[in-house]
Amino acid sequence: MKILVVGGGGREHAIASALHRTGESEIFSVMSKKNPGIARLAKEMCLVPETDLTRIEAFAAKTGVTHAIIGPEAPLEAGVVDRLSASGIECVGPTKNAARIETDKAFCRNLMTHYNIGGNPDYRVYHDTSEAIAFVKDHDGDLAVKPIGLTGGKGVRIMGEQVDRAGAIAYIREVNGGVVLEERLKGEEFTLQAFVDGFHIVPMPLVQDHKRAGEGDTGPNTGGMGSYSMPDHMLPFVSRKDHTTALSIMASVVAALKKEGHPFKGILYGQFMNTAEGPKVIEFNARFGDPEAMNVLTLLCSDFGKVVTGITEGTLTATDVVFEKAATVCKYLVPEGYPQAPLSGRPLVTGKKRNALLYYANVEEREGKLYTLTSRTLAFVGKADTLPEAEQIAEKAVSAVTGDVFHRSDIGTQALLNKRITHMKELR
């Protein structure tokens, strides 16, 4: 198989690594900036904007790729799957219309309402800024303010957590466009990702991501500072019933998209809040999470190329997908000042990785040396039989890096996990 990987971040390095590690696929790459890790695995690469459909299509035709895996959301919104599919290339990634489950938050909520799908919080959609502000002024409880379109995981403002009522109103004015106002959900977040072939849905291990920049979940939202998964592929604050409910919600969304005439093929990512009443949907993504992809793909034992075939041919079964029973902890290194004013162009020295896996993200390599850019730079993943062992592997590797960067040392620690467990017990 000749497989094109679209995207150049840590998530896409994890995708390319899984293809390389588990099978014999030839890897080709399209990315806006050269990712050193992907470059070492790819037979050929094309450095163009990931939304430049004409040049992506031309590169695919020139290299003779048979399949494509789309990493980021922007090319999905631009319709890269529609374009490549029209050229006869099978894609792991939804069409532009099916990707609206992520790219249009109003579409997602309204679809769930129309098909009476569980887990939908109370919400209102506003396209008029003054009407949205009036609702916030008159509403008694806290709300989540979400721009309708893509925001790179950094666009949500939560009243009572990040902003007060005046701050929420100011943010709506700043957005100056369509917003979804949702009830504020209280609980513990978890991520359930699944392979989807248009009909069948095969779940991956549960992961918990950490969006806030600072230790103890403080500071501004980011694209994700790190994540962890457990050896049993569950999380201690998510019951089997919760897991079944979340998976059923995702299956219902897949069925609804098919009924709408937009079959979903690719990776469906469900971000859930486990509340006192059970899982509620925070959002859906139409691709792997970053960093969550690094957790689950590190554990993938099956030939990823065969999984790709199962997805694109509509023949995927649970027996096609096997994950190692181990814990993983992913810790991202980010430039000082991230996310508001990241220091770019600063040198990095990685030190000893020991047993950790290294995934390159938004980093530049010049003459064998690494330099920061404007987003997350490197991710280190520890894998072990237990969570504490995996956390130590990741922490030792990420702490060995020198440069103007920082990371969250608390991700994957028992202390933080105990906090989650206690919080869930208090709610229930």
Side-chain angles (χ1 to χ4, degrees):
M1 293 174 66
K2 291 185 173 184
I3 301 181
L4 176 65
V5 177
V6 177
R11 165 183 47 218
E12 291 75 36
H13 186 195
I15 291 170
S17 295
L19 288 169
H20 177 75
R21 186 185 76 250
T22 63
E24 297 181 355
S25 304
E26 288 187 340
I27 301 164
F28 296 81
S29 169
V30 165
M31 47 189 164
S32 58
K33 293 185 180 72
K34 182 180 176 181
N35 180 306
I38 298 174
R40 292 181 185 118
L41 298 173
K43 185 171 182 180
E44 193 172 341
M45 60 184 179
C46 179
L47 299 180
V48 299
E50 292 148 14
T51 53
D52 190 335
L53 305 191
T54 300
R55 293 168 76 181
I56 293 172
E57 183 182 28
F59 178 71
K62 184 190 83 157
T63 54
V65 298
T66 55
H67 296 75
I69 303 176
I70 317 304
E73 59 273 29
L76 292 173
E77 184 180 43
V80 68
V81 169
D82 307 68
R83 181 71 73 92
L84 292 176
S85 296
S87 300
I89 296 167
E90 301 284 354
C91 294
V92 174
T95 61
K96 183 175 182 176
N97 281 329
R100 291 179 70 200
I101 199 68
E102 173 178 7
T103 63
D104 185 336
K105 292 181 179 65
F107 170 82
C108 173
R109 292 307 186 197
N110 291 335
L111 181 83
M112 293 181 70
T113 297
H114 180 72
Y115 287 94
N116 196 28
I117 298 171
N120 209 14
D122 293 336
Y123 72 98
R124 299 285 187 93
V125 177
Y126 289 99
H127 296 279
D128 183 281
T129 297
S130 60
E131 290 180 2
I133 290 172
F135 179 80
V136 173
K137 286 180 177 178
D138 294 338
H139 187 76
D140 288 336
D142 290 334
L143 297 163
V145 182
K146 301 182 177 182
I148 283 176
L150 295 174
T151 59
K154 304 168 190 172
V156 178
R157 299 291 185 274
I158 309 293
M159 290 173 59
E161 183 179 317
Q162 297 162 301
V163 294
D164 57 12
R165 194 171 305 277
I169 291 170
Y171 183 55
I172 291 170
R173 287 199 178 99
E174 181 186 331
V175 171
N176 195 30
V179 294
V180 180
L181 302 180
E182 299 175 1
E183 64 171 310
R184 181 190 176 189
L185 298 175
K186 293 184 179 180
E188 284 298 328
E189 292 188 31
F190 69 91
T191 300
L192 175 58
Q193 300 172 105
F195 296 113
V196 182
D197 68 357
F199 307 93
H200 312 102
I201 178 167
V202 178
M204 304 181 215
L206 294 183
V207 182
Q208 188 176 53
D209 182 25
H210 299 72
K211 288 287 188 188
R212 306 296 282 272
E215 305 275 325
D217 299 318
T218 58
N221 269 351
T222 71
M225 292 293 293
S227 47
Y228 68 94
S229 68
M230 303 293 288
D232 63 354
H233 300 167
M234 295 289 289
L235 291 169
F237 48 84
V238 178
S239 70
R240 291 287 173 184
K241 182 181 177 182
D242 295 330
H243 184 274
T244 299
T245 299
L247 190 59
S248 175
I249 290 169
M250 291 175 68
S252 297
V253 166
V254 170
L257 287 169
K258 189 172 184 298
K259 286 180 183 177
E260 291 288 303
H262 311 307
F264 189 103
K265 288 189 176 184
I267 314 301
L268 184 61
Y269 167 120
Q271 187 73 24
F272 293 92
M273 182 72 81
N274 211 16
T275 70
E277 296 79 36
K280 295 285 187 79
V281 175
I282 297 172
E283 67 177 0
F284 288 110
N285 291 333
R287 36 73 193 180
F288 277 116
D290 185 346
E292 295 98 330
M294 288 175 263
N295 298 92
V296 295
L297 290 176
T298 294
L299 295 173
L300 185 66
C301 301
S302 309
D303 184 336
F304 195 14
K306 290 181 179 178
V307 176
V308 167
T309 301
I311 292 171
T312 57
E313 293 181 352
T315 60
L316 189 69
T317 67
T319 56
D320 295 326
V321 184
V322 178
F323 293 96
E324 183 180 352
K325 292 284 189 178
T328 64
V329 174
C330 174
K331 300 196 182 193
Y332 249 126
L333 266 176
V334 302
E336 289 289 353
Y338 176 81
Q340 299 102 324
L343 299 178
S344 63
R346 304 302 176 92
L348 292 170
V349 179
T350 55
K352 291 183 179 180
K353 291 187 300 177
R354 294 183 174 86
N355 296 323
L357 296 165
L358 169 59
Y359 293 110
Y360 292 86
N362 192 233
V363 66
E364 183 179 20
E365 187 175 46
R366 286 183 263 139
E367 298 178 353
K369 294 182 180 179
L370 296 174
Y371 297 86
T372 62
L373 293 174
T374 58
S375 190
R376 297 170 294 177
T377 58
L378 304 170
F380 291 89
V381 177
K383 181 181 73 170
D385 291 337
T386 68
L387 185 68
E389 290 174 299
E391 189 275 328
Q392 278 300 296
I393 291 170
E395 180 63 25
K396 285 177 182 177
V398 75
S399 298
V401 178
T402 56
D404 293 326
V405 288
F406 71 95
H407 72 283
R408 279 187 58 175
S409 62
D410 61 344
I411 293 173
T413 60
Q414 193 63 48
L416 195 59
L417 180 59
N418 289 342
K419 194 175 167 185
R420 309 286 197 237
I421 295 168
T422 300
H423 184 217
M424 201 71 241
K425 285 179 178 177
E426 290 170 350
L427 289 173
R428 291 184 173 178

